[in-house]
Amino acid sequence: MNSQKVSGISTSVNQQTTANKARAKETIKALPGFLIGGAAACSAVTFTNPWEVVKTRLQLQGELTRSNSNYVKPYRNIFQAFYVIVKNEGVRGIQKGLGAAYAYQLVMNGARLGFYDPIRNSLEKFFNTSSTSMPISMLSGFLAGSFGAAIGSPLYLVKTRMQSYSTFAAIGHQHNYKNTFDALHKISKEERYFKGLFRGVDAAMIRTGVGSCTQLSSYFFIKRSVIKYSGMSDDNILVHALSSLVSGFCVCFTMNPFDVISTRMYNQKADQSGKGSLYKNTLDCFIKTLRAEGIFGFYKGFGAHYLRIGPHTILTFVFLEQYRGLYIKYTT
């Protein structure tokens, strides 16, 4: 009887050990995806960060100001804004927040792209559906994007504030930081640590969840359609570029309203108690923006957003496919 108990316990321990090893293997498998996704996004953001600076300033320009007011806009359109920033602030001005952008892309996109496939595979098994299911792709993109935005929120907060800071035209509240680490330190000290660092995280999660849901689902759907009707192979760079271009427009259209809200939530000044001086929460920001600026207020900076997200989407997926190819080549 005792030997049977010992045998049973031994079998249970072995089963538990096997399960732990299986989970460890899944974690290891997710790590390359995390690193590849982050590296692809960082490579892309080097070329697209200037348009992110333009977009941020256009979204904050005329904040809560009615269209019929006497407010004078320093930036008339995306190209004039680009020119004015370069003229007055130089290359460093148009690349503000690049360090924080790198860190954010590594954390957020690394998680978003790295965990997209594991989440999708788990949902496919749970719902017993095929890998071509659009609802599963969209839900997977939303969950992966929201998770990435949550853990990367402090870095996006810093990036937004650094990009909005101007030495010649004050747009929104001006936060003056030396670098990313200085910003994180000051925000932690002056805005009550967790509350300050994760200000507007709910808006960021909705923003990135919607964008990721649209991007990942539309990209793979469009790519399959391009391959089907063009006859081009999956490894053709034109397939990735065309799919990313169309996907980028879809993302920009669905995400821009949430992007405006997120930018304003992040950039607002905090009072001594750590509360935002303009908006109580994401819903309050939405209502106030709608009342003051109408529906078009949510599409401020749309052109700059697409000039950033269109090439960024193309470059991210092009780099992603190339890095994945190199990884498979040298690990199999």
Side-chain angles (χ1 to χ4, degrees):
M1 185 71 177
N2 290 335
S3 63
Q4 290 178 342
K5 287 183 178 180
V6 171
S7 176
I9 293 172
S10 178
T11 301
S12 176
V13 170
N14 289 334
Q15 290 175 344
Q16 185 64 39
T17 301
T18 302
N20 289 338
K21 287 181 177 179
R23 283 193 291 269
K25 287 181 179 179
E26 288 299 320
T27 301
I28 293 172
K29 287 180 181 179
L31 182 59
F34 181 96
L35 295 176
I36 290 170
C42 284
S43 299
V45 82
T46 304
F47 301 95
T48 60
N49 190 65
W51 293 115
E52 181 77 1
V53 174
V54 172
K55 180 207 70 159
T56 298
R57 297 197 184 181
L58 287 173
Q59 289 178 341
L60 291 171
Q61 179 172 257
E63 184 174 13
L64 299 183
T65 302
R66 297 188 180 278
S67 58
N68 59 355
S69 69
N70 294 322
Y71 175 77
V72 179
K73 298 179 180 179
Y75 306 119
R76 296 191 297 273
N77 55 63
I78 56 176
F79 300 108
Q80 181 263 356
F82 187 98
Y83 170 76
V84 168
I85 294 170
V86 172
K87 180 182 178 182
N88 290 275
E89 301 178 52
V91 176
R92 293 185 65 181
I94 204 64
Q95 283 285 19
K96 279 186 175 178
L98 184 59
Y102 279 145
Y104 175 72
Q105 292 294 335
L106 182 61
V107 173
M108 191 279 289
N109 272 312
R112 183 173 68 100
L113 296 173
F115 288 103
Y116 173 76
D117 284 335
I119 290 174
R120 187 179 64 178
N121 292 336
S122 298
L123 290 174
E124 286 169 7
K125 291 178 182 178
F126 181 80
F127 290 104
N128 191 27
T129 186
S130 68
S131 60
T132 58
S133 172
M134 180 61 73
I136 292 298
S137 294
M138 294 179 70
L139 180 58
S140 301
F142 183 87
L143 293 174
S146 298
F147 176 73
I151 61 176
S153 185
L155 294 167
Y156 196 91
L157 168 71
V158 171
K159 180 185 72 70
T160 299
R161 291 184 175 186
M162 293 182 75
Q163 290 174 338
S164 67
Y165 181 76
S166 173
T167 56
F168 74 97
I171 300 297
H173 184 72
Q174 298 290 281
H175 303 270
N176 188 9
Y177 304 124
K178 296 177 183 178
N179 51 53
T180 302
F181 297 105
D182 177 58
L184 291 171
H185 173 71
K186 285 183 177 178
I187 294 169
S188 298
K189 183 179 179 180
E190 299 170 4
E191 300 181 34
R192 299 195 172 185
Y193 297 97
F194 184 87
K195 187 174 183 179
L197 289 172
F198 285 89
R199 176 182 308 283
V201 65
D202 52 343
M205 290 177 69
I206 297 172
R207 167 195 175 275
T208 311
V210 169
S212 182
C213 168
T214 306
Q215 184 186 56
L216 292 170
S217 58
S218 64
Y219 173 78
F220 291 111
F221 175 78
I222 293 166
K223 188 174 78 169
R224 284 196 297 267
S225 300
V226 171
I227 292 171
K228 179 180 178 181
Y229 293 108
S230 69
M232 291 188 287
S233 62
D234 190 9
D235 59 353
N236 191 317
I237 196 170
L238 290 177
V239 172
H240 306 311
L242 181 59
S243 302
S244 299
L245 189 64
V246 179
S247 175
F249 181 82
C250 296
V251 172
C252 193
F253 182 78
T254 58
M255 192 170 72
N256 205 84
F258 304 101
D259 196 62
V260 171
I261 293 173
S262 181
T263 296
R264 294 183 175 188
M265 286 291 293
Y266 278 139
N267 194 67
Q268 68 174 327
K269 180 183 177 180
D271 59 25
Q272 293 183 346
S273 65
K275 295 181 180 179
S277 59
L278 289 179
Y279 314 109
K280 298 177 183 177
N281 49 50
T282 298
L283 180 60
D284 185 51
C285 180
F286 176 86
I287 293 173
K288 286 181 177 178
T289 300
L290 183 63
R291 284 177 176 173
E293 303 170 58
I295 194 67
F296 293 107
F298 294 113
Y299 280 92
K300 282 187 174 180
F302 181 87
H305 194 184
Y306 183 70
L307 285 179
R308 184 203 73 85
I309 211 167
H312 184 86
T313 304
I314 293 173
L315 291 169
T316 296
F317 280 108
V318 167
F319 281 121
L320 183 66
E321 297 287 354
Q322 301 308 309
Y323 291 160
R324 277 178 174 171
L326 290 172
Y327 174 75
I328 293 171
K329 179 179 178 180
Y330 290 106
T331 57
T332 56

